Amino acid sequence: MVLARISLAALFPLCMCYRTHQSTGAGSLSPWFYDNSCPNAQAIVQSFVAKAYAIDPRMAASMLRLHFHDCFVNGCDASLLLDSSGTIESEKRSISNRDSARGFEVIDEIKFALENECPETVSCADILALVARDSIVICGGPTWEVYLGRRDAREASLSGSMENIPTPDSTLQTLVNMFNVQGLDLTDLVALLGSHTIGNSRCLNFRQRLYNHSGNNDPDQTLNQNYAYMLQQGCPISGEDQNLFNLDYVTPNKFDNYYFKNLVNFRGLLNSDEILFTQSSETMEMVKFYAENEEAFFEQFARSIVKMGNISPLTGTSGEIRRICRRVNHDF
């Protein structure tokens, strides 16, 4: 196959690789899973991430988000990628994914290239895990060894996608509960939400904070007034629902610790972000720590995303290796 003609050295800057430890719940996964069966797999994935990022820098956050939304519904099994067909109701139709989840075409391209290189070998679930890592690295964030060997689900759960993925107006207790169900603790929650240092959100997801946060026609008092005024210019009290705003307005395309610095300055875009600083002394201290120490954030983020990637993987003879990520093999 021909790799994208893009300087990977330029797009993937040198960064610190954080060593992480595999949890006992996913002991059959390994960073070296494809070393013999598909040795070029990671290089192929990286090349397509670089190509997609060069065309549209927003795609980095979009591809990272796919991994999150997949793992939080019955584990990291690529169920999110399945289109509706037969008895399958696609998770793409849930409120959390409809009109916002994107990057599926990039996954299709990667899978097509990997099938040409080593047929029926690399799972779609592993592609999502690799793409998440490479998307962060290309934005200047940390890197880590991705544990591999997941297999793909033969079913999806639209109801699970509706119930298990946090929303922009989730309370802190709801966030804690949703993460705990997945085996993720408070430290994981704060670190993983730090991924909102890249990406965008639509006006409709935070409008209430600007105009009627508590039902009294006043803005959210935990939102910096100057920042709120700036947001109001592109997010009026009605209309323009789909207008996009950077989750981190300072360094929107760089994976860094400005997300936490923004929260300290009451400039978090989403309510579900700012509450980390305003509603719990424990999460407030973590936010302040990461705002002051980017390396500590990077190290914890790497640990936490590996832990998230270990949620209920299908291994051994469970599931399958899909030939096309959008549909199960028996649909061919």
Side-chain angles (χ1 to χ4, degrees):
M1 65 160 286
V2 178
L3 297 184
R5 295 180 180 177
I6 296 173
S7 171
L8 296 183
L11 285 171
F12 286 84
L14 291 174
C15 53
M16 185 176 294
C17 182
Y18 293 96
R19 295 286 175 177
T20 55
H21 298 286
Q22 181 71 320
S23 70
T24 55
S28 58
L29 302 184
S30 163
W32 310 284
F33 191 83
Y34 297 114
D35 280 8
N36 294 321
S37 60
C38 195
N40 294 325
Q42 295 201 41
I44 291 170
V45 172
Q46 190 180 81
S47 72
F48 278 92
V49 171
K51 176 185 174 184
Y53 180 80
I55 295 170
D56 177 9
R58 278 185 61 209
M59 194 57 71
S62 297
M63 293 189 293
L64 170 60
R65 188 169 181 254
L66 293 180
H67 186 42
F68 277 78
H69 283 210
D70 179 51
C71 290
F72 267 59
V73 182
N74 295 339
C76 308
D77 60 4
S79 59
L80 171 61
L81 303 180
L82 289 170
D83 288 338
S84 294
S85 66
T87 60
I88 294 174
E89 287 188 279
S90 178
E91 294 169 20
K92 299 173 186 178
R93 295 170 51 197
S94 73
I95 294 173
S96 296
N97 295 321
R98 188 174 61 241
D99 301 325
S100 63
R102 57 197 294 269
F104 298 110
E105 294 79 9
V106 178
I107 304 301
D108 291 340
E109 291 178 2
I110 294 171
K111 182 59 173 173
F112 183 80
L114 287 170
E115 286 298 302
N116 284 338
E117 178 80 10
C118 32
E120 299 180 52
T121 301
V122 181
S123 70
C124 302
D126 279 345
I127 291 172
L128 288 178
L130 289 167
V131 161
R133 189 268 312 273
D134 293 345
S135 294
I136 289 172
V137 171
I138 207 168
C139 292
T143 190
W144 60 89
E145 288 182 326
V146 178
Y147 285 78
L148 303 165
R150 301 167 190 81
R151 289 168 66 84
D152 300 323
R154 294 191 177 99
E155 57 189 11
S157 176
L158 176 59
S159 62
S161 188
M162 298 283 278
E163 297 165 2
N164 298 338
I165 297 174
T167 62
D169 58 354
S170 292
T171 65
L172 182 57
Q173 190 57 56
T174 297
L175 290 172
V176 170
N177 291 344
M178 285 184 165
F179 275 69
N180 284 348
V181 164
Q182 306 297 343
L184 301 170
D185 60 25
L186 197 62
T187 301
D188 300 318
L189 165 62
V190 176
L192 290 172
L193 283 182
S195 64
H196 284 178
T197 187
I198 57 174
N200 301 268
S201 189
R202 293 174 291 170
C203 168
L204 62 86
N205 289 328
F206 59 87
R207 172 183 282 125
Q208 188 170 359
R209 296 190 74 202
L210 303 180
Y211 301 102
N212 190 27
H213 184 63
S214 301
N216 56 5
N217 295 317
D218 287 328
D220 185 348
Q221 296 303 301
T222 66
L223 189 62
N224 176 279
Q225 290 186 358
N226 292 331
Y227 183 50
Y229 177 77
M230 181 182 77
L231 295 173
Q232 287 171 342
Q233 305 316 298
C235 184
I237 196 167
S238 64
E240 309 298 341
D241 287 359
Q242 305 304 317
N243 284 0
L244 290 173
F245 292 78
N246 296 314
L247 289 165
D248 168 10
Y249 77 102
V250 181
T251 56
N253 294 316
K254 183 179 180 184
F255 196 97
D256 56 21
N257 66 336
Y258 260 95
Y259 166 81
F260 298 104
K261 293 180 180 182
N262 292 337
L263 297 187
V264 171
N265 292 316
F266 302 102
R267 292 170 182 257
L269 183 65
L270 304 179
N271 182 65
S272 55
D273 289 326
E274 192 61 53
I275 57 177
L276 295 181
F277 189 68
T278 61
Q279 293 192 6
S280 161
S281 59
E282 192 171 358
T283 58
M284 174 190 280
E285 289 305 312
M286 292 185 205
V287 168
K288 290 195 290 188
F289 179 58
Y290 293 145
E292 296 166 358
N293 192 327
E294 183 174 82
E295 185 173 343
F297 163 50
F298 280 10
E299 185 172 356
Q300 184 58 53
F301 183 87
R303 286 199 199 102
S304 294
I305 199 168
V306 168
K307 187 175 175 182
M308 186 191 78
N310 291 342
I311 297 172
S312 304
L314 298 173
T315 59
T317 57
S318 299
E320 64 184 14
I321 305 298
R322 286 185 219 139
R323 293 192 289 275
I324 294 176
C325 291
R326 291 175 180 267
R327 58 184 192 239
V328 295
N329 290 339
H330 67 63
D331 280 352
F332 284 90

